[in-house]
Structure formats: structure tokens, C-alpha cells
DNA sequence: TATAATTTCTCATATGATGGGACACGCGTC
DNA sequence: GACGCGTGTCCCATCATATGAGAAATTATA
């Protein structure tokens, strides 16, 4: 019942197991004891114990006062090193803040990885219901505005590559369920210049997103505004989209992506 | 020259090696090729290759377009899960923002782990030189204001435990270099109610910090304000300290740490 | 194109992870 | 206080598993 990555031919048992441990601890919202870890992963106590001790030495896990295990702060360190390379995040932040101030809704910054989107930042308006998303978490492309925004502006060959891998999990009744439907949606998105997720990921939640384009006019990320459907109404979409476009234009400038010189501005920024 | 954790008796070679790979990629600011990884870690090509493939399958590393390796976003995911358990961070953020607005200098939120402090959040004023610190990074306790702030308000037995482990690395000419000196400094800190780092970590950088106390009046974290010495002058310290105290009081409240009921307020909040 | 420097893959070998099981602890029950 | 149960810790003989030499394939460099 764990993640299906069947084509992975290279194997190092110890590593797979260690990551399974980390996974487990990451999923659980409460620290786990040795016994629970061993049982959940079908490892024998001594094995699980050894792993946990080694992981602890590396500060990948740490023990609570009562001896239970949870994820360690080393991971936090690594995580921050990992996104550091994408300085996109730092640069984008002020623009996202402005966006949130303007729209009074939650803004997300996401990257595309395989057929999933990964949220690398989230800004929430001061007074609002907190969103469930966690920075670092991921969602399938097909049911998110950010995902569709990036796909729609990727060159055909790259998007085709990704589309092949979409699994079309159903999240709500409105989730796009077929490749054809997604293709049509992407064309619509491209024409419109922004992507919409109309309760396709989560009941009652509406999002709207536009891609951040690099110097070659290729999407490197996407910014979205999300809020409860009753506030993010169909009428408001164009206005929000405008704020979004301003925002990503700002980000692109800050990243040093020239407005692509002369004429020929893409549909998005036009 | 690697990390000295000699007493760690439990060993899983594969894990140690895998983490060494991650470490290496984390240190390097530019992606590395298989050959470089293998050479740096004295692993044989095939071994390094296998590891990298497995790590890639787990998305702990990813490949750039030219085939080189760097840290993967899965680590970012894990890191955020790890920090999630300390919801301190989320709760503290608004208070830190206010603090930054008031002082116009950079604020940090840090935790204590072993004899080091780990920065779990950083807020920078809009117009300012960017600080070099990275969220997730760590520093020795003895040369940071946050470290001294926490140590000074820890119960003697706990702080003694930590003091034993301090290595007294020299960072600048002003870095505290002996256990005795540190002890005196901690007493001073305790009396004063706030800790000061006067260019002890970095030339030209002055910091001031106070601990965040939990319901049992124990430090769980510390908040600091840092800036160039010419702006963060000796005269300004008390005023900044006041803002800091307000800030941590706010955080404590938000965390549900009651103002400890009746009388007996600690020196810090008094 | 030739040549060098990569990365990828295969496979026999012995190293090193494995898990059975013994021990020690804390805790509630009898 | 003795017993049982559920913990976590530790040791060590066994063999499954990771290992690295080297060949093949790919990509960069001259």
C-alpha cells in the first residue's frame, strides 16, 4: 500500500527502509514508539531500532521526552538548502505579499515536478481561515490551478510528456477525469491566460493561477490565489487574474527575466 | 574531517553513505556530477551511482538538465513536516513581523538542539541588506544571542548539561572563548533579562535576544533582533529589548502559555 | 572523427545488514 | 512484592545484500 514506483530498478534495501521510516514519521502527526514503527513497516524490532538510532545520530529523527520518535530538524536544514537553489522563492515573496494584500485571499507559489505540483510558499491574509495546504506538500497537476497554469504554457512536447504520467485521481465530483477533458481545459486556459480550479481539488475551494515565465518564456513556477467559492466568485476572476498577472510580471522582473525585449509578448502578459 | 560523532555505536554503512551524499550536495552550491560525488566521498563509481539512483527515486536528489545532481524537493517536504510539529513557528510569525516593523532590523526565531541553535524562521525588513543566515541553519550556542538567551534561563542542571558540550570555536576576536567567561556572561544575561551578541559571531554584527518561555517558564525558543553594529548601538539596546519582550510575551500568549497565574513573574517578563 | 571522460550496467564475491532471541526496564494488576 | 505485559536495548551467528572491478554505452572534447 506504499508508493508505487515500480520501474525503479536500482535498490538499496537499507535506504528504502530508512526512508519508509521517515515517511511513516512524517505521515503520523504524533510521535511514534519503536514498537509502532516496527509493526507498521513490518520490520523486526532490532532492525527498526538500529535504523532509528542511526537516523537519530544524523538528526533525521529525534526523540521526545517520553522516548518516542519524530522527524528531526536536520531535515528542516536539508529542506531549506534544497529550495535555496531556487532563489525564486525569496524573490517572489514580496510580490506574493502584495498580491495577498490586494486580494485578501491566500496565495501559493508552486513548482512542477513530474506530474505533481509542489507548493514552495504560501502567504495567508491576516484574518482568514487557515488553509490546509502545507508548504512542501504536493498535489497532482490535473486538479490544481497552478498545475494547469504551468501545463498550459509549456511547449507541446514537454506537456505531452507530463500528460502521459497523469493518473487522474478523483478528488471531488468536479475533478477532471479524462485526458481529453484535461486537454480541452488546457487549451481554454491558454487562450484565457489564466487557469481556474473550480472545486476540482477540494469541495468549496476555488483557485486561480498564472505561470511565472522565465527568460525563454517557459513556465518555471506558478502563482495562485485560493479562497472559498463564495468569496472567489466567477465575477471576481478577471480582476483577481489581473492582480496575478501584475504579480508574476514583478517576479519575472526581479528574477532578471527581461520582458523578452521587443514585440511579440506572450498571451499571458499581453 | 567529517562530523565527529564518535560515541555513535550503531552503524548502517549504507545509510551513513547516503547521508554523506546528501551532505555533500547540500554543502556544494553547484550541482555535482557522479564522478565528483564518488571522488569526494571515496566511493567507487558504481556504488555512488546506485546510491544516487535510489535517492533520486525517493526524490531526495534530482538531476539538472545536464545530468548533474542536487538536493531534491522531497527534502523540502520532509523539512516542513518536521517543523510542523513545532507550531511555534506559525504562531510566532505575526509577532515577529510586528517586531521587524518596529525595529526595522532582521528578526530570528531559534530553537536549541544539543549545543547549537537552529534558526527556524527569519524575517527581514523590506529595505535592508540581506543577512547571510539561512533558515534551517545552525550555529554554536556560545556565540549567539539566541543561544545565550536560552541558556541563561534554563534550569542549572539543563544548562550545565549543555555547557559541557560547548566547543568554544572562535568566530571573531570577541567570541567568548572559555567556559568561565561564558558562565559570567550568562549570569549577566539573566540579571539583565536579555542576551547580547556583540560581534561575537560575525564582525560588525550585533544581536540581542530574549527567550520564549513555556507554561513552566522554561525556554523553548528565542527571538533575536540583529543588525549592523552602527545601527544597533549600545544606547538602543534597552529599547529594542523592550520590543523583544513584548514580542515574546505575545508569542507565549498565542501558544497558550498562561502568564503563569499569580505573582512571581520571572525576571524576563517583569 | 578520433579520443577522452563521462555515466550506466552486469555479476561473482564477502562484507555487512539482518532478525532471532536474551536481557532490562517501567508499569499496572493481582 | 511478585507476576505479567509491553516497552526499548543489546549480542551474535547466518546469509541475504550491498559491494566494487571492470566491461559497455553514452556523452563531451579535441
Amino acid at each position: 500500500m506504499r508508493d508505487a514506483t515500480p520501474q525503479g530498478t536500482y535498490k538499496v534495501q537499507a535506504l528504502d527502509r530508512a526512508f519508509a521510516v521517515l515517511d511513516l514519521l512524517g505521515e503520523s502527526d504524533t510521535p511514534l514508539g519503536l514498537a509502532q514503527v516496527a509493526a507498521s513497516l513490518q520490520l523486526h524490532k532490532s532492525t527498526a531500532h538500529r535504523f532509528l538510532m542511526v537516523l537519530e545520530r544524523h538528526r533525521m529523527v529525534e526523540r521526545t521526552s517520553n522516548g518516542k520518535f519524530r522527524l528531526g530538524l536536520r531535515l528542516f536544514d536539508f529542506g531549506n538548502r534544497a529550495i535555496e537553489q531556487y532563489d525564486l522563492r525569496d524573490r517572489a515573496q514580496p510580490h506574493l505579499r502584495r498580491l495577498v494584500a490586494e486580494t485578501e485571499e491566500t496565495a501559493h507559489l508552486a513548482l512542477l515536478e513530474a506530474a505533481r505540483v509542489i507548493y514552495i510558499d504560501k502567504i495567508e491574509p491576516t484574518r482568514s481561515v487557515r488553509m490546509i495546504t502545507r508548504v512542501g506538500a504536493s498535489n497532482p497537476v490535473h486538479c490544481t490551478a497552478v498545475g494547469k497554469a504551468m501545463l498550459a504554457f509549456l511547449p507541446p512536447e514537454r506537456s505531452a510528456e507530463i500528460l502521459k504520467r497523469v493518473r487522474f485521481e478523483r478528488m471531488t465530483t468536479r475533478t477532471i477525469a479524462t485526458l481529453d477533458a484535461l486537454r480541452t481545459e488546457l487549451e481554454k486556459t491558454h487562450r484565457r491566460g489564466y487557469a481556474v480550479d473550480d472545486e476540482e481539488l477540494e469541495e468549496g475551494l476555488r483557485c486561480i493561477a498564472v505561470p511565472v515565465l522565465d527568460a525563454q518564456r517557459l513556465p518555471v513556477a506558478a502563482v495562485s490565489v485560493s479562497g472559498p467559492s463564495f468569496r472567489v466568485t466567477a465575477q471576481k476572476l478577471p480582476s483577481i487574474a489581473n492582480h496575478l498577472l501584475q504579480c508574476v510580471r514583478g517576479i519575472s522582473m526581479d528574477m532578471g527575466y527581461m520582458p523578452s525585449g521587443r514585440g511579440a509578448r506572450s498571451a499571458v502578459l499581453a
Side-chain angles (χ1 to χ4, degrees), chain A residues 97-165:
Chain A
R97 287 196 199 297
R98 182 162 358 105
L99 180 64
V100 171
E102 289 163 353
T103 61
E104 284 284 316
E105 298 291 352
T106 302
H108 285 271
L109 176 67
L111 295 178
L112 192 59
E113 195 188 60
R116 301 182 71 82
V117 294
I118 301 186
Y119 300 102
I120 63 168
D121 210 353
K122 167 175 78 163
I123 312 277
E124 303 187 296
T126 33
R127 318 198 161 275
S128 164
V129 280
R130 321 206 81 204
M131 294 215 57
I132 18 54
T133 43
R134 187 192 65 251
V135 173
S138 68
N139 271 326
V141 262
H142 72 287
C143 53
T144 58
V146 278
K148 295 193 282 184
M150 286 187 270
L151 274 184
F153 290 92
L154 233 31
E157 62 279 12
R158 294 260 325 264
S159 67
E161 187 63 34
I162 292 163
L163 285 174
K164 268 194 298 196
R165 299 213 243 165

